[in-house]
Amino acid sequence: MEPLKLYMLLLGCTLPGRHTEQHDVFFGIARKVSDLVPDMKAFWPEAGDKLHVDGWREVNRVGNYDIAIVSRDEAIENAEQLYFLNLGGYKPGEMEEFHYKMLRVSKDIGAAIREAKETAFYKHTTFDTATSHVDDKYGVDVDDIVPVKDILPATIRAQYQLKITPAEASAQEDELFLGYFQLHKL
């Protein structure tokens, strides 16, 4: 039997009454990505049969840390947390807010934000009156930042938790799967 894995998926759909495709990020735990289809549909019920996946990854490694799924009953001590950040930024002459989604393992939100502000995206999508940003409620410039454990579906949080451990130097980065994926073909 395959082990449980944390998945990060970029969901997309064009909702009725909208002119452009909308996107959201979904996190789930399963043995294979196709097992998450019912949870994705429950996460975004308004999307109906228009819901699709534009990209996904198994989250096994983030930076210098391995991410594993363990039972909620297992005693673990994570000094660090896995954070999801959604950076927003602008480019001169383009009517668009660009976004960069990233995962960071850090001791706290402040450290994760400081790391995000060092990315090329953050530095290259800022000009005079339009700065790259992180949500104002954290007093800095980032659209959204949240511990991944807090945005997993409630049924998953009740059963499992994330175990974060230092990675071997030779461990591989996670593979990204990009494109238009219909749910029934995952």
Side-chain angles (χ1 to χ4, degrees):
M1 184 181 320
E2 293 190 42
L4 290 168
K5 303 169 194 158
L6 174 64
Y7 288 92
M8 176 182 178
L9 298 100
L10 178 63
L11 303 180
C13 75
T14 302
L15 296 166
R18 299 289 184 228
H19 302 293
T20 60
E21 183 176 331
Q22 310 293 294
H23 293 95
D24 205 343
V25 174
F26 173 80
F27 289 90
I29 292 174
R31 296 193 188 287
K32 56 186 188 234
V33 70
S34 59
D35 293 343
L36 293 171
V37 170
D39 291 333
M40 287 184 269
K41 289 180 176 182
F43 173 74
W44 203 348
E46 304 85 2
D49 62 359
K50 304 263 188 207
L51 187 64
H52 62 273
V53 175
D54 284 310
W56 63 276
R57 73 183 262 195
E58 291 178 14
V59 181
N60 299 301
R61 182 171 184 182
V62 175
N64 296 321
Y65 295 90
D66 288 327
I67 310 298
I69 308 306
V70 297
S71 167
R72 171 62 58 202
D73 300 331
E74 186 175 322
I76 62 169
E77 291 189 31
N78 288 331
E80 293 84 8
Q81 291 296 319
L82 176 61
Y83 292 98
F84 165 65
L85 295 93
N86 183 32
L87 303 181
Y90 307 93
K91 294 181 182 179
E94 295 196 39
M95 185 177 277
E96 181 69 54
E97 180 183 356
F98 297 92
H99 287 94
Y100 181 67
K101 291 145 186 57
M102 59 189 285
L103 294 173
R104 283 290 185 260
V105 172
S106 300
K107 291 186 185 282
D108 57 48
I109 286 177
I113 290 172
R114 284 189 295 280
E115 291 173 24
K117 289 179 130 182
E118 294 302 315
T119 64
F121 175 88
Y122 192 90
K123 292 177 180 178
H124 295 122
T125 54
T126 294
F127 63 97
D128 300 330
T129 60
T131 59
S132 296
H133 55 276
V134 187
D135 196 332
D136 288 343
K137 68 183 173 183
Y138 297 106
V140 293
D141 302 305
V142 172
D143 253 359
D144 304 294
I145 181 171
V146 64
V148 170
K149 66 180 180 131
D150 293 347
I151 55 176
L152 287 167
T155 56
I156 296 297
R157 287 193 314 262
Q159 298 176 63
Y160 305 108
Q161 60 184 327
L162 304 179
K163 183 176 182 180
I164 302 168
T165 56
E168 295 290 326
S170 62
Q172 291 185 336
E173 292 291 321
D174 295 332
E175 184 177 359
L176 296 179
F177 298 89
L178 302 171
Y180 181 90
F181 302 95
Q182 295 174 324
L183 297 185
H184 71 279
K185 291 185 178 180
L186 286 175

